[in-house]
Amino acid sequence: MDEALLRSLTPSVLTVLVRRGADFAAAEDAVQDALVEALRVWPADPPRDAKGWLVTVAWRKFLDATRSDLARRRREDRVEEEPAPGPAPALDDTLQLYFLCAHPSLTPASAVALTLRAVGGLTTRQIAEAYLVPEATMAQRISRAKRTVSRVRFDQPGDVATVLRVLYLVFNEGYSGDIDLAAEAIRLTRQLATAIDHPEVAGLLALMLLHHARRTARTAPDGSLVPLAEQDRGRWDTASIAEGVVILQTALARDRLGEFQAQAAIAALHADAPTAAETDWVQIVEWYDELAHLTDSPVVRLNRAVAVGEADGPRAGLAALAELDPSLPRHTAVAAYLHERDGDVATAARLYTEAARLAPNLAERDHLTRQAARLNAGRGG
């Protein structure tokens, strides 16, 4: 049984049912029932047209459920007949599902979960494991999301920016359990890039590829974080870097700059440097200026302060940092790094310790704690 084939067909079959009048939640349940039936039947009797078979069976499942639900009598009356077996029409189904799942009526967390379920084809258990939450909690989240979008007109989906933000959130979750969410986000974004010609979709795909190329070098054998400057660049995935750079160059040539293209340009400059010392920090600052203009994001300005510190010296970086709100996440860690670069070891050690207490995850906390310990040991205290 080719489960990858089933997974790839799920969005198309789901959209066909929605187009035929099924609400999103009922259609999703019917498609899941059809997939179960396929797993039972196909090994002994594979169909000649897999999508047509799934559409027919899923529609029958939907009709059965509709007829048994008194609250949906009106929908049952509008159902005239089942679709005939045979090849289903080639429609841009996956694209429409992206936009529906990223509808602005959903919270970001719900949109991500629904995208993974409906477009990615992941099971509720797999999504729950990836997010480290109980399966029942994730099931409730997805059910609420399905109920919400079932009340949304299918021709009024979310916009491209919302879809890209959802995919970016999926990518940033990284991986846990038996599902690699970073790789899944790249797979989904590739699908979207094939379906829609948009420079920011290409920019996001390039950004993901360039960041993912450094993945194996980001952690030491003991699981501790390895900062970018200390990573073994020989472990970077050069094929992914090359692909990301080509995609980015094509997108930038269209002269419709967006935030994901700007972020990808920064990642490409890091990837292009043979060593950390050879990084073109001046260009990186220029790209952060573009990104700050596009987003007006305090986090972007925080990262820019680091780049300024590398390009123009730590005191220039500290001056840029002084313009930002100290309560920003990772502000204290950046201050510690820049003070260390400036030779103020005592202040840096104190700030590393403080930053460790504020760290959002265990890996960062351990890394910052080791930095503080290293400086304190060097000072003999």
Side-chain angles (χ1 to χ4, degrees), residues 159-342:
D159 59 8
V160 174
T162 304
V163 174
L164 295 181
R165 185 62 54 193
V166 168
L167 290 171
Y168 188 55
L169 288 172
V170 174
F171 181 80
N172 283 339
E173 286 297 328
Y175 65 98
S176 58
D178 61 354
I179 293 297
D180 184 335
L181 288 184
E184 183 66 14
I186 292 173
R187 186 183 74 83
L188 294 172
T189 307
R190 283 192 191 279
Q191 287 184 6
L192 187 61
T194 300
I196 183 172
D197 181 21
H198 192 293
E200 272 294 83
V201 177
L204 179 58
L205 178 57
L207 176 63
M208 289 178 175
L209 289 169
L210 289 163
H211 277 312
H212 205 55
R214 303 200 300 261
R215 173 173 166 172
T216 58
R218 285 199 186 103
T219 54
D222 63 358
S224 60
L225 292 179
V226 179
L228 177 61
E230 300 172 20
Q231 289 176 15
D232 178 0
R233 299 184 179 220
R235 297 180 63 195
W236 289 1
D237 183 347
T238 54
S240 291
I241 290 173
E243 182 186 5
V245 168
V246 169
I247 293 172
L248 173 63
Q249 289 174 339
T250 302
L252 290 175
R254 300 178 64 176
D255 199 24
R256 290 169 55 194
L257 184 64
E259 63 174 295
F260 291 119
Q261 294 169 74
Q263 287 190 56
I266 293 168
L269 286 167
H270 283 298
D272 186 56
T275 66
E278 297 173 87
T279 303
D280 190 343
W281 286 106
V282 173
Q283 269 204 72
I284 288 177
V285 171
E286 291 174 355
W287 276 112
Y288 271 122
D289 288 339
E290 292 279 2
L291 189 56
H293 176 73
L294 288 166
T295 65
D296 194 28
S297 165
V299 175
V300 168
R301 297 187 185 280
L302 182 68
N303 291 330
R304 179 185 177 277
V306 176
V308 168
E310 299 291 350
D312 300 327
R315 293 194 179 182
L318 286 167
L321 187 66
E323 299 175 2
L324 304 177
D325 185 347
S327 66
L328 273 174
R330 299 184 174 87
H331 183 286
T332 306
V334 170
Y337 173 75
L338 291 171
H339 276 291
E340 181 184 358
R341 287 280 317 284
D342 195 38

Side-chain angles (χ1 to χ4, degrees), residues 7 121-131 176-179 181:
R7 188 160 121 175
L122 276 62
T123 66
T124 302
R125 178 186 60 80
Q126 289 171 323
I127 300 171
E129 286 184 355
Y131 280 89
S176 58
D178 61 354
I179 293 297
L181 288 184

